[in-house]
Amino acid sequence: VLHHLSKLKKTKSPGPGVIHRRILIEIKEIIAKPLSVKYQHSLDRGQLPDT
């Protein structure tokens, strides 16, 4: 997750989540682990989270 967050380009427009890439890049060290846990949980259950 950290690797993919590091590869984001600051100049692109926000995606469907409406969080600007610049913010994601700046907080990548903080959010990488929680996102990894959330993604792994989704994979283990075979479901996407509601929110």
Side-chain angles (χ1 to χ4, degrees):
V1 172
L2 182 58
H3 172 74
H4 289 288
L5 288 170
S6 297
K7 291 174 56 175
L8 289 174
K9 302 212 184 303
K10 290 181 183 178
T11 57
K12 298 282 185 171
S13 61
V18 193
I19 298 175
H20 199 280
R21 292 171 187 258
R22 174 177 244 144
I23 294 170
L24 292 174
I25 292 167
E26 289 180 14
I27 63 171
K28 67 184 175 198
E29 300 286 336
I30 298 167
I31 64 171
K33 180 66 176 175
L35 285 176
S36 295
V37 170
K38 189 74 164 175
Y39 293 149
Q40 188 60 53
H41 182 70
S42 293
L43 289 172
D44 292 344
R45 294 184 66 202
Q47 293 180 281
L48 295 174
D50 293 334
T51 56

